[in-house]
Amino acid sequence: MSKLRVPKTRTTDEREKMPPPPPPPPLLLWQRLPKRRPRPLPKLASPTEGKLYPLVSDAVQRCRGEIFEVDGSKMEGGGQILRLCLGLAAILGHTLRLKNIRRGRKKAGFRSQHLACVRLLHRLGRASQKSGFDIGSTEAEVKMQGIAAPPAPQKEGSGICDYFSKSDTGGCCTLIVQAILPVLSFQHGRQQALTVRLCGSTSGAFSPPSAHLNLVLRPILKMMGLNVQVDITRRGFPNRGIGELRVAVEPVKILQPLILEDFGDPAGATIDIICDSPEFAERFRQRLVRGISSLGWGKNLEVCMHAVLQRPSKKSRKRDTPASGSCSLLVVQVALKTTTGGVLSANVLQQGRVAADSVWELLTELRKLVQSRACVDDRTADQLIIFMALATGTSRLRVPMPPYDSKHLETAIYFAAMLSGRNFQWEEDSDGKSRVLICQ
């Protein structure tokens, strides 16, 4: 049986004669770092801090990040409700619950061009969560990030364009521009111009032609401090191939109010004609120039004529066969400029057997605008509503008196006031020919 070993106790003298213990191992890098001091608590923001930019009014600031239910069957009942609401929500960070989408049209629900807008907003980093965005869907929900969200990174190999969007069925690119142009204007932390390449029809039915962006909308937005460049790489028309449009926008921090209520005097005119028959285009030009000169815009008159080489598709070739002395495609944009910056616009797009009666339609519309002493037409005014809602200060815009061809202007005012919190009022004139739209 083994004995229990008892440890031997050492005396004080023996402990003093023992060698010293070895030094401790060196400390690792993370052990030698000094301890971090606790961070101070953040200061409370003042009422003027934490805003998007000093660009929008206090009413717009108070209306940020809310949830709105948008009924697409109200008033105009078309795609304009989608374009305006998506553009404003992407800037202000709203959540949209859409229902009865495009109930006022024969084919209700989303079309290809509307889905192209949503896809592009998603690539821009604005649409964080979305559901129900399918062809023919009448209900959807989307949550927007707002203006403070940084733009999505550019993919390698994308060329000179930052973003790209395509309408699968050849939807009109100018309608897509109406939705994304305000969003491209306000890009957080970006100073260089942002370029978007759009594929679809550059001129389509029930939509402004591509020349309207350069001749009418661009000079008016420049008065508000926004620089927009539109380049038509390839022209496209319904049943005649897909076109390509490049839109470059320089982001702004302050959007100036639009003050455009004095008619002024004639300053110049521009006519843009697209036709597939040179002989018909020349006769059309001569009649249109004589009519515009009779209105007082004979000086500084510029005419741009473009030939179309695309042939119509086989399905529409029989229907679009022109008669003798006519053409199968005609797109005309007329812009009458005034000394105060106003632009009176009239355009026409006809396919099939086009007759020369389009000259009379254009001149009649322009004569009514000149007699009303308005600064813009009602179709251009409805595209400016969203910019007036986002601008600082009070905007004033003179438009002709109703009746109008559509309810687009009233629809834009209704939904812009709902989503932005701005107040829109009408100021009637005594002559009853025009009135001033005030946004404050």
Side-chain angles (χ1 to χ4, degrees):
M1 185 176 180
S2 61
K3 297 181 180 180
L4 181 64
R5 294 182 179 179
V6 180
K8 183 179 179 181
T9 58
R10 300 180 184 273
T11 62
T12 305
D13 297 338
E14 292 177 347
R15 285 197 298 269
E16 291 178 355
K17 294 179 180 180
M18 292 179 60
L27 295 177
L28 300 177
L29 179 61
W30 65 272
Q31 293 175 331
R32 290 182 302 203
L33 293 176
K35 295 183 179 180
R36 296 182 178 179
R37 297 180 181 180
R39 296 181 179 179
L41 295 176
K43 297 181 180 180
L44 295 177
S46 62
T48 58
E49 294 179 356
K51 290 189 176 183
L52 303 176
Y53 283 119
L55 75 162
V56 291
S57 64
D58 294 336
V60 176
Q61 295 288 350
R62 292 192 298 267
C63 198
R64 289 179 53 196
E66 297 184 5
I67 300 176
F68 290 93
E69 292 187 358
V70 178
D71 189 354
S73 62
K74 287 186 176 181
M75 305 187 75
E76 184 262 343
Q80 189 208 19
I81 300 176
L82 289 175
R83 293 187 293 270
L84 188 140
C85 292
L86 288 174
L88 272 178
I91 295 175
L92 303 178
H94 293 327
T95 298
L96 298 180
R97 294 175 180 174
L98 307 170
K99 63 178 182 179
N100 299 326
I101 299 172
R102 298 180 72 249
R103 283 295 185 186
R105 298 295 181 263
K106 293 182 178 180
K107 294 182 179 180
F110 286 106
R111 297 290 100 189
S112 177
Q113 60 187 8
H114 308 122
L115 298 182
C117 297
V118 178
R119 288 195 299 265
L120 188 54
L121 292 176
H122 181 70
R123 293 170 186 171
L124 288 168
R126 298 300 178 88
S128 58
Q129 300 176 5
K130 54 187 179 69
S131 60
F133 287 89
D134 301 314
I135 295 291
S137 175
T138 57
E139 293 185 1
E141 182 175 351
V142 59
K143 181 179 180 181
M144 298 294 186
Q145 293 289 345
I147 195 175
Q154 177 182 353
K155 295 183 179 180
E156 296 181 359
S158 58
I160 64 174
C161 295
D162 294 319
Y163 301 97
F164 167 79
S165 182
K166 179 181 179 181
S167 178
D168 298 332
T169 59
C172 192
C173 296
T174 55
L175 297 179
I176 303 178
V177 172
Q178 293 181 11
I180 66 171
L181 189 57
V183 182
L184 298 177
S185 305
F186 302 110
Q187 292 292 330
H188 180 70
R190 188 183 181 106
Q191 298 180 353
Q192 298 179 353
L194 190 64
T195 306
V196 173
R197 182 164 62 99
L198 304 174
C199 290
S201 297
T202 55
S203 300
F206 306 105
S207 60
S210 56
H212 183 273
L213 297 174
N214 275 327
L215 301 181
V216 182
L217 195 61
R218 179 186 173 187
I220 298 178
L221 293 179
K222 192 173 182 179
M223 298 175 60
M224 305 179 72
L226 185 60
N227 294 324
V228 181
Q229 181 67 36
V230 179
D231 295 326
I232 305 173
T233 308
R234 182 176 62 253
R235 301 184 184 276
F237 308 94
N239 302 322
R240 285 177 177 261
I242 301 297
E244 182 176 316
L245 200 67
R246 296 177 187 266
V247 182
V249 183
E250 295 182 4
V252 297
K253 291 186 177 181
I254 297 178
L255 195 60
Q256 301 293 338
L258 179 60
I259 308 297
L260 197 56
E261 56 179 333
D262 295 331
F263 182 76
D265 298 322
T270 305
I271 304 174
D272 189 271
I273 302 177
I274 303 175
C275 186
D276 58 354
S277 175
E279 295 80 7
F280 180 85
E282 179 61 25
R283 294 195 303 269
F284 191 94
R285 182 196 66 82
Q286 294 177 3
R287 293 185 57 190
L288 190 58
V289 167
R290 288 196 299 266
I292 293 178
S293 300
S294 65
L295 297 176
W297 268 265
K299 296 182 180 180
N300 299 326
L301 182 59
E302 181 182 0
V303 181
C304 302
M305 302 182 65
H306 312 277
V308 179
L309 302 179
Q310 300 101 321
R311 298 183 62 188
S313 61
K314 294 182 179 180
K315 294 182 180 180
S316 61
R317 192 168 297 172
K318 295 182 179 180
R319 182 183 71 247
D320 293 348
T321 301
S324 59
S326 183
C327 64
S328 61
L329 176 65
L330 178 65
V331 182
V332 183
Q333 172 65 56
V334 182
L336 305 182
K337 303 176 184 179
T338 65
T339 54
T340 58
V343 183
L344 304 179
S345 169
N347 52 68
V348 64
L349 184 145
Q350 292 185 356
Q351 284 185 287
R353 299 182 179 181
V354 181
D357 297 338
S358 304
V359 177
W360 176 256
E361 297 177 5
L362 286 171
L363 293 177
T364 302
E365 185 176 355
L366 290 173
R367 187 175 294 107
K368 291 180 180 179
L369 291 174
V370 172
Q371 293 175 356
S372 68
R373 308 289 292 180
C375 297
V376 296
D377 59 289
D378 59 292
R379 301 171 188 173
T380 304
D382 73 73
Q383 302 180 43
L384 298 172
I385 295 299
I386 186 172
F387 297 98
M388 296 171 62
L390 294 172
T392 57
T394 302
S395 298
R396 300 176 64 90
L397 179 64
R398 182 174 297 277
V399 298
M401 290 290 291
Y404 304 131
D405 295 339
S406 64
K407 298 181 179 180
H408 283 76
L409 181 56
E410 291 82 357
T411 304
I413 294 174
Y414 176 81
F415 285 97
M418 181 181 70
L419 269 67
S420 66
R422 300 300 296 270
N423 184 22
F424 289 87
Q425 297 179 354
W426 289 106
E427 184 179 289
E428 305 289 345
D429 283 354
S430 57
D431 56 2
K433 296 181 180 180
S434 63
R435 54 181 179 171
V436 178
L437 177 62
I438 304 173
C439 175
Q440 55 187 3

